[in-house]
Amino acid sequence: MLSFYSTRNHDLDAGFEEALLSGLAPDGGLYLPRRLPELHRSLWRERRQLADIGYEIMLGWNEPKLSPADVRAISSSALNFPVPLVPIGSNRPSQTNLFVLELFHGPTHSFKDVGARTMARLVSHFSEASHTELTVLVATSGDTGSAVADGFSGLTGVRVVLLYPKGQVSALQERQLIVSRPGVVALAVEGTFDDCQRMVKMAFSEPSFEKANLTSANSINIGRLLPQSFYYVHAVSQLDMEDVIIVVPSGNLGNLTAGMLAQRAGLPVNRFVAAHNANAFFPDYLASGEDQFRESIRTLSNAMDVGAPSNFERLASLFSHSQLNSLIRSTSVSDAETAAAIKRTYLNHGYVACPHTAVGLEAAERYRAESETQKPIVVLATAHPAKFPETVRSAIGIQPEAPKDLAELHDRPTRAETVSPHVAALTPYIFA
Ligand SMILES: *Cc1c(COP(=O)(O)O)cnc(C)c1O
């Protein structure tokens, strides 16, 4: 059985269902697993599908309310898309030592599908088992909202109310948020992303909403974090080599934290590289020990525009500053360098990367030069390049080819309601 403590109180003890459904610990801290079951070598020694790796790991959690059949159903329906490890620079894996792990073949084409889809099925399972109807309330400015909306859509026992700042997300992002999905209501808030987040926060402490069984699904939820460790195992298994270096394009540091939890549980990772855009809180922290949060800066890799990474609290609770420095390298990449990395990767290798992945590719190159290592480097490819057509086109002169479902998004019916930026405006949708 999994047991969780809070980053602010190590004596706190919560079970998996409680941590999953409450999101934040009662003291405002973040949940961390007290002890994760050891990841066994056989998980990466034999080549397996992501769903099979997820199944084995979740089975090891030994949760009494999750039978092996439940775990099988959850993993096979959540992790139903390929996560290929693609060699860069050669068609023959043995002739290169740079790879991207393409995490963007899920329904909304970012890596967030992995965590969101698995979490959604876990939440639905527990709410069905206890005969309650839950409402997931989520504020989003980008990939999270569509991954969460899509992940929960059509599942029993849960509905989703999604808030996004009207007119402040890209046209494609908005389409992805508002395509009509069963069980999902999209609300275009006449305000900023901060207004959306404030409304969600207030809704949780609003007495008249108590009966609505509200729950959150943001990136601090342990139910999204733990499944993100599955693809780190999958990367090592496909590479068939241990001692790998993994580059993680980072914003809120959830992806990185998931990898480090996998490493702590026994996955043989040589080193992590946290690749940031101009929002350089984390690389600066590693260099100086100074942990002052900042305002975020807008960049080309907008899903990583985070000045105050929420999962930093987890990393700082798990590791000292000097431990973090021995496990992780981190670097900050400017927009000009990001665009140059997209162009270089395309010209040299014919590979089209999204701006987030390009931040990772630039960081990989820097790490290779600085460390002179010959070890394999895997860059996590976090989004499909076709989600960022303008940035990619201005870097390489051509439009990235869109997967069929993204291209067809324009033909699908949409549904969104416009609301004022006040918590009371949520009432009709929360009790719909
Ligand atoms: C969310 C996101 C990131 C950042 O991941 P974190 O877990 O917040 O560090 C990177 N790339 C893309 C495409 C994302 O959507």
Side-chain angles (χ1 to χ4, degrees):
M1 257 173 87
L2 298 179
S3 130
F4 297 86
Y5 62 93
S6 160
T7 48
R8 301 188 190 170
N9 175 6
H10 288 224
D11 295 328
L12 183 125
D13 195 22
F16 182 56
E17 183 174 359
E18 185 186 343
L20 174 74
L21 297 183
S22 58
L24 212 60
D27 58 10
L30 306 188
Y31 286 115
L32 274 169
R34 186 155 271 118
R35 181 197 60 84
L36 279 178
E38 197 183 327
L39 295 175
H40 199 265
R41 272 215 133 96
S42 63
L43 277 171
W44 58 89
R45 280 293 172 83
E46 295 156 30
R47 282 230 183 167
R48 296 180 203 227
Q49 301 287 324
L50 185 66
D52 295 329
I53 290 172
Y55 170 75
E56 291 288 336
I57 295 177
M58 284 195 277
L59 206 59
W61 294 349
N62 230 334
E63 282 297 316
K65 284 196 190 168
L66 286 172
S67 72
D70 298 332
V71 174
R72 177 58 80 190
I74 290 168
S75 57
S76 55
S77 90
L79 308 169
N80 61 348
F81 50 89
V83 180
L85 185 75
V86 178
I88 298 285
S90 163
N91 294 328
R92 305 252 297 278
S94 59
Q95 292 181 353
T96 184
N97 55 7
L98 178 63
F99 301 83
V100 293
L101 184 71
E102 292 187 346
L103 295 165
F104 53 69
H105 296 288
T108 70
H109 300 288
S110 86
F111 82 95
K112 292 193 171 76
D113 283 326
V114 175
R117 290 174 67 76
T118 310
M119 174 188 167
R121 281 152 185 79
L122 288 164
V123 168
S124 168
H125 175 79
F126 285 117
S127 73
E128 252 194 302
S130 60
H131 307 288
T132 44
E133 176 87 9
L134 295 173
T135 299
V136 173
L137 196 58
V138 61
T140 180
S141 57
D143 294 331
T144 295
S146 48
V148 166
D150 203 90
F152 278 93
S153 173
L155 299 182
T156 49
V158 249
R159 324 161 39 239
V160 178
V161 177
L162 181 87
L163 282 66
Y164 72 95
K166 187 173 182 167
Q168 296 192 25
V169 302
S170 77
L172 183 63
Q173 276 175 328
E174 180 166 37
R175 274 264 144 188
Q176 282 199 303
L177 290 172
I178 67 176
V179 287
S180 81
R181 297 179 170 100
V184 179
V185 179
L187 301 178
V189 174
E190 293 174 307
T192 61
F193 176 59
D194 290 334
D195 291 322
C196 298
Q197 274 199 309
R198 186 178 41 77
M199 288 163 75
V200 167
K201 241 190 204 149
M202 288 175 72
F204 279 99
S205 52
E206 170 62 43
S208 66
F209 289 172
E210 220 160 84
K211 282 202 272 336
N213 290 326
L214 294 181
T215 187
S216 75
N218 53 18
S219 66
I220 52 143
N221 195 298
I222 200 78
R224 276 179 59 188
L225 201 67
L226 293 182
Q228 288 185 8
S229 64
F230 303 164
Y231 50 73
Y232 285 90
V233 176
H234 191 50
V236 173
S237 120
Q238 289 184 83
L239 198 58
D240 203 18
M241 245 182 290
E242 300 198 348
D243 221 22
V244 48
I245 293 143
I246 302 185
V247 180
V248 189
S250 291
N252 264 322
L253 296 168
N255 208 352
L256 180 72
T257 303
M260 298 194 70
L261 288 174
Q263 184 191 38
R264 261 168 91 88
L267 187 72
V269 176
N270 175 278
R271 193 182 292 278
F272 290 98
V273 177
H276 288 261
N277 59 28
N279 292 279
F281 164 82
F282 193 60
D284 291 354
Y285 166 74
L286 290 184
S288 69
E290 180 65 50
D291 63 358
Q292 203 64 46
F293 282 164
R294 308 160 183 188
E295 293 286 314
S296 64
I297 305 166
R298 292 191 73 128
T299 74
L300 293 177
S301 46
N302 58 15
M304 300 173 6
D305 292 349
V306 182
S310 49
N311 281 289
F312 177 69
E313 183 164 333
R314 284 197 168 103
L315 291 177
S317 167
L318 288 166
F319 304 102
S320 68
H321 179 254
S322 70
Q323 282 173 322
L324 284 173
N325 264 305
S326 72
L327 296 167
I328 309 171
R329 286 285 175 279
S330 187
T331 192
S332 161
V333 174
S334 71
D335 275 355
E337 291 164 328
T338 303
I342 296 176
K343 186 171 178 180
R344 184 174 65 235
T345 307
Y346 179 66
L347 291 180
N348 293 348
H349 308 300
Y351 188 83
V352 181
C354 91
H356 310 81
T357 308
V359 169
L361 287 163
E362 170 65 18
E365 194 139 304
R366 288 184 195 171
Y367 183 74
R368 179 83 74 200
E370 164 207 312
S371 66
E372 296 179 358
T373 182
Q374 291 309 309
K375 293 187 198 312
I377 300 185
V378 175
V379 175
L380 302 189
T382 52
H384 196 290
K387 288 183 87 167
F388 307 90
E390 296 84 12
T391 303
V392 172
R393 195 182 41 223
S394 88
I396 64 175
I398 59 164
Q399 187 101 358
E401 198 175 323
K404 196 160 172 285
D405 53 345
L406 266 189
E408 286 171 358
L409 213 50
H410 280 282
D411 306 327
R412 289 178 55 191
T414 58
R415 204 184 115 206
E417 311 286 337
T418 298
V419 299
S420 63
H422 307 290
V423 68
L426 300 176
T427 310
Y429 305 104
I430 282 181
F431 292 103

